[in-house]
Amino acid sequence: MADNSKAEDAASDSVEAAKGTGDKKEKLAAQVMQNPQVLAALQDRLDNAPHTPSSYIETLPKAVKRRIDALKQLQVKCAHIEAKFYEEVHDLERKYAALYQPLFDKRRDFITGAAEPTDEEAEWHSENEEDEKLAGDLKSKVVIEEKEPGAAEETNPKGIPDFWFTIFRNVDMLSELVQEYDEPILKHLQDIKVKFSEPGQAMSFTLEFYFEPNDYFTNSVLTKTYKMKSEPDKADPFSFEGPEIVDCEGCTIDWKKGKNVTVKTIKKKQKHKGRGTVRTITKQVPNDSFFNFFSPIKVSGDGESLDEDSECTLAIDFEVGHFFRERIVPRAVLYFTGEAIEDDDNFEEGEEGEEEELEGEEEGEEEEDAESEPKKDASQPAECKQQ
């Protein structure tokens, strides 16, 4: 029993000694942090350390890191408020879509020839109006001089022929999806509309493609719905930058017999293993077509990830849907004439030109500040010079 008592006393003494050592360390650390020379040395070390954000944060005291964590909590709350903001923006889009629609309906009537614009509605003064009038008068004069007696008068086609098909052809993002055998079908496209989800429904928008009666399918409308999410991700709330498309749903196209351009029929020879006889079978396989747009890849709901090709295809699909909604439908006439495309090109060229000009200024400064340095080889590409 005496031995046990001695062991307990020894253990108790060890614990007390450890506590005493811990207290001494804390007091020593506090004294060190109050020493101006130590603080100056620490600050000098911080100043000379590589200034990456993560390395800097690691050097901060626990109390500062705690406050940073509090700021992150505030940032998450800001992200949730921002999500509410975008929900209200969606409500505003729905409200103003109803105001735009009468104008879009009139646009459809002019395109299809269901109505003719009045002189007042057709009055438009362009920047190059005088040049265009002169060119038009000259062309008319040439036509009149060359016209043979009894020649037919200039035709007046109904509406604006191939309006939407021309837009598909003008816009690279869309023309890349269109195959030659899609073109006759797209010439029957009469209108494209955007419908926003109703109040209380999950955020989404639907593209509606209206077709006149044709020899290819019986549908009068083909639809594509894009489902959206406007809430921060629980695992990564700081990545939230507004609503994003998370899934899409197409429709069934009721193709007429032998007119389905999304599949092609191939012939394949099969050899019987036992008898050695050969037979030819026909098989339908997928075919590249714009109309695959209405049969999108389905995002898995069980958390399974898609392969790289499927993810790429889906990303392009989301981009095309967004482009229809934000650019094509609201500004259709400008994509038909090409003016919107020219504006986009000019903006991109301006950015590049500004970058080149800045690079030129930087090179000039280098020459002034380093006359003694050997001259660089002017034949090197710009990226080599920057390196």
Short mmCIF file of all heavy atoms in Angstrom, two decimals, residues 14 32 36 48 114 117 122 142 156 221 237 257 286 309 328 353 358 367:
data_model
loop_
_atom_site.label_atom_id
_atom_site.label_comp_id
_atom_site.label_asym_id
_atom_site.label_seq_id
_atom_site.Cartn_x
_atom_site.Cartn_y
_atom_site.Cartn_z
N SER A 14 4.12 15.18 -10.95
CA SER A 14 4.42 15.33 -12.39
C SER A 14 3.39 16.23 -13.06
O SER A 14 3.72 17.08 -13.89
CB SER A 14 4.43 13.95 -13.07
OG SER A 14 5.46 13.14 -12.52
N VAL A 32 7.90 37.80 -24.31
CA VAL A 32 8.62 37.93 -25.58
C VAL A 32 7.86 38.84 -26.54
O VAL A 32 8.44 39.71 -27.20
CB VAL A 32 8.85 36.54 -26.21
CG1 VAL A 32 9.31 36.68 -27.66
CG2 VAL A 32 9.87 35.76 -25.41
N PRO A 36 10.09 44.91 -27.67
CA PRO A 36 10.12 45.63 -28.96
C PRO A 36 11.13 45.04 -29.95
O PRO A 36 10.88 45.01 -31.15
CB PRO A 36 10.52 47.06 -28.57
CG PRO A 36 10.18 47.17 -27.13
CD PRO A 36 10.38 45.80 -26.54
N ASN A 48 10.21 40.16 -45.17
CA ASN A 48 11.10 39.50 -46.14
C ASN A 48 10.59 38.14 -46.60
O ASN A 48 11.16 37.52 -47.49
CB ASN A 48 12.50 39.32 -45.53
CG ASN A 48 13.18 40.66 -45.29
OD1 ASN A 48 13.01 41.59 -46.07
ND2 ASN A 48 13.93 40.77 -44.20
N ALA A 114 -47.34 38.04 -91.86
CA ALA A 114 -48.72 38.11 -91.38
C ALA A 114 -49.20 39.55 -91.31
O ALA A 114 -50.40 39.82 -91.30
CB ALA A 114 -48.83 37.45 -90.01
N PRO A 117 -45.54 46.46 -92.05
CA PRO A 117 -45.33 47.67 -91.24
C PRO A 117 -45.88 48.89 -91.95
O PRO A 117 -45.88 48.97 -93.19
CB PRO A 117 -43.81 47.75 -91.12
CG PRO A 117 -43.28 46.98 -92.29
CD PRO A 117 -44.28 45.90 -92.57
N ALA A 122 -41.83 51.72 -90.58
CA ALA A 122 -40.70 51.33 -91.43
C ALA A 122 -39.69 52.44 -91.63
O ALA A 122 -38.67 52.25 -92.29
CB ALA A 122 -41.22 50.86 -92.80
N VAL A 142 -28.85 51.05 -113.40
CA VAL A 142 -28.20 49.96 -114.15
C VAL A 142 -29.21 48.89 -114.51
O VAL A 142 -29.24 48.37 -115.63
CB VAL A 142 -27.04 49.37 -113.33
CG1 VAL A 142 -26.50 48.11 -114.00
CG2 VAL A 142 -25.92 50.39 -113.15
N ASN A 156 -41.67 40.46 -104.79
CA ASN A 156 -41.88 40.96 -103.43
C ASN A 156 -42.21 39.76 -102.55
O ASN A 156 -43.37 39.40 -102.39
CB ASN A 156 -43.02 41.98 -103.41
CG ASN A 156 -43.23 42.56 -102.01
OD1 ASN A 156 -42.40 42.37 -101.13
ND2 ASN A 156 -44.34 43.24 -101.83
N VAL A 221 -44.17 23.34 -82.09
CA VAL A 221 -43.26 24.00 -81.15
C VAL A 221 -42.30 22.97 -80.58
O VAL A 221 -42.73 21.89 -80.16
CB VAL A 221 -44.03 24.68 -79.99
CG1 VAL A 221 -43.05 25.45 -79.10
CG2 VAL A 221 -45.12 25.58 -80.49
N PRO A 237 -19.26 28.03 -50.50
CA PRO A 237 -20.17 29.19 -50.64
C PRO A 237 -19.53 30.39 -51.31
O PRO A 237 -20.22 31.21 -51.92
CB PRO A 237 -20.55 29.52 -49.19
CG PRO A 237 -19.43 28.95 -48.37
CD PRO A 237 -18.96 27.73 -49.10
N LYS A 257 -41.90 9.79 -91.14
CA LYS A 257 -41.18 8.59 -91.55
C LYS A 257 -40.03 8.92 -92.51
O LYS A 257 -40.19 9.60 -93.51
CB LYS A 257 -42.15 7.61 -92.23
CG LYS A 257 -41.53 6.25 -92.52
CD LYS A 257 -42.55 5.30 -93.10
CE LYS A 257 -41.90 3.94 -93.39
NZ LYS A 257 -42.88 2.97 -93.96
N PRO A 286 -26.60 7.25 -83.93
CA PRO A 286 -26.74 8.71 -83.78
C PRO A 286 -26.02 9.46 -84.90
O PRO A 286 -24.98 9.03 -85.40
CB PRO A 286 -26.10 8.99 -82.42
CG PRO A 286 -26.18 7.70 -81.69
CD PRO A 286 -26.02 6.63 -82.73
N ASP A 309 -15.98 14.20 -71.79
CA ASP A 309 -16.67 14.58 -73.03
C ASP A 309 -18.10 15.03 -72.74
O ASP A 309 -18.58 16.01 -73.33
CB ASP A 309 -16.68 13.39 -74.00
CG ASP A 309 -15.30 13.13 -74.59
OD1 ASP A 309 -14.44 14.03 -74.51
OD2 ASP A 309 -15.07 12.02 -75.13
N ILE A 328 -29.65 36.43 -78.62
CA ILE A 328 -30.34 36.18 -79.88
C ILE A 328 -31.79 36.66 -79.87
O ILE A 328 -32.21 37.43 -80.74
CB ILE A 328 -30.29 34.68 -80.25
CG1 ILE A 328 -28.85 34.22 -80.44
CG2 ILE A 328 -31.12 34.41 -81.51
CD1 ILE A 328 -28.14 34.84 -81.61
N GLY A 353 -6.02 45.81 -79.21
CA GLY A 353 -5.25 46.98 -79.61
C GLY A 353 -4.72 47.75 -78.42
O GLY A 353 -3.58 48.19 -78.39
N LEU A 358 -0.14 49.26 -74.84
CA LEU A 358 0.49 49.28 -73.54
C LEU A 358 1.83 48.56 -73.57
O LEU A 358 2.80 48.98 -72.96
CB LEU A 358 -0.43 48.62 -72.50
CG LEU A 358 -1.68 49.42 -72.13
CD1 LEU A 358 -2.59 48.59 -71.26
CD2 LEU A 358 -1.31 50.71 -71.43
N GLU A 367 13.79 50.64 -72.95
CA GLU A 367 14.92 51.11 -73.75
C GLU A 367 15.56 52.35 -73.14
O GLU A 367 16.77 52.53 -73.14
CB GLU A 367 14.46 51.40 -75.18
CG GLU A 367 14.14 50.12 -75.96
CD GLU A 367 13.60 50.44 -77.34
OE1 GLU A 367 13.56 51.64 -77.69
OE2 GLU A 367 13.21 49.53 -78.05
#
